[in-house]
Amino acid sequence: MFQKFYPDLYVSSTYEIDFDRLYRSGYRGLIFDIDNTLVTHGAPANDQAKQLFAHLHEIGFATCLISNNQEPRVKPFADAVHSLYIYDAHKPSTKNYEKAMEQMHTEKGNTVFIGDQMFTDVFGANRTGIPSIMVKKSTGRRNPDCLKRRLEAIVLIGYRRYRKTHKSILE
């Protein structure tokens, strides 16, 4: 019932993902959410994010940030990590996931989405037909999506049960 919200993989942090393995597996494009995925909500690009993106580009990944935030939030972050970007993305609409793949010259079969929210990020990626990795929300400033986070916790119970018997293409 809730499988349309389930990520292909759920990890503690973006920074623990084995991107080298993803590249060896044939993935060439990475679409990222920003807030609570790469940095805490509202924070600028930090050294960890800059180093990650430098490594991703070095091994051959194309990257694109898609955010529901406005350009004054997204552009400086994208500039700092040297990534393509789309702001005011209206996730979970599929339109800008597809636009990101177009900009990166990738397709559904070789693109992965990484984000922290089940009902926007992951649902949008699933609707688009691309694998998704959900990361635990970065700690820091309290996000106003408290009710949404509580609902996600409930759906994650079902996700964990589902994953015990169903392997992801990313595993």
Side-chain angles (χ1 to χ4, degrees):
M1 175 177 166
F2 292 110
Q3 292 175 14
K4 61 187 167 194
F5 299 110
Y6 293 171
D8 289 284
L9 196 59
Y10 183 51
V11 297
S12 294
S13 167
T14 298
Y15 301 98
E16 75 175 38
I17 297 169
D18 188 346
F19 289 105
D20 293 274
R21 183 172 159 258
L22 286 176
Y23 192 85
R24 286 191 307 272
S25 296
Y27 293 98
R28 296 299 181 258
L30 300 170
I31 304 171
F32 287 90
D33 177 51
I34 299 171
D35 288 321
N36 297 317
T37 299
L38 293 166
V39 294
T40 57
H41 193 273
N46 58 21
D47 288 340
Q48 189 177 29
K50 292 174 187 176
Q51 289 169 7
L52 172 63
F53 276 75
H55 176 70
L56 296 174
H57 297 144
E58 180 182 297
I59 62 175
F61 275 114
T63 62
C64 187
L65 306 173
I66 67 171
S67 174
N68 287 346
N69 277 307
Q70 298 303 308
E71 192 170 26
R73 165 67 178 133
V74 181
K75 183 182 183 334
F77 196 101
D79 288 347
V81 298
H82 307 288
S83 181
L84 299 168
Y85 70 94
I86 298 168
Y87 64 94
D88 195 22
H90 299 284
K91 295 179 288 180
S93 169
T94 62
K95 177 183 167 191
N96 286 307
Y97 291 83
E98 292 166 354
K99 182 178 176 182
M101 288 185 285
E102 216 175 275
Q103 289 181 1
M104 293 187 300
H105 306 288
T106 62
E107 52 197 39
K108 294 175 185 180
N110 66 359
T111 304
V112 176
F113 177 83
I114 300 99
D116 72 301
Q117 291 194 45
M118 189 174 272
F119 300 125
T120 53
D121 297 332
V122 171
F123 183 46
N126 290 345
R127 289 179 65 220
T128 306
I130 59 175
S132 60
I133 301 174
M134 184 171 154
V135 300
K136 289 183 182 172
K137 174 187 175 294
S138 299
T139 57
R141 197 176 113 209
R142 188 177 172 105
N143 193 323
D145 298 329
C146 199
L147 177 60
K148 193 179 347 177
R149 294 293 182 179
R150 287 183 189 149
L151 292 172
E152 280 181 357
I154 293 167
V155 176
L156 277 170
I157 293 168
Y159 166 78
R160 287 184 180 105
R161 289 181 185 145
Y162 176 83
R163 278 291 165 237
K164 286 180 181 179
T165 58
H166 296 81
K167 289 293 178 195
S168 158
I169 62 170
L170 297 177
E171 293 180 287

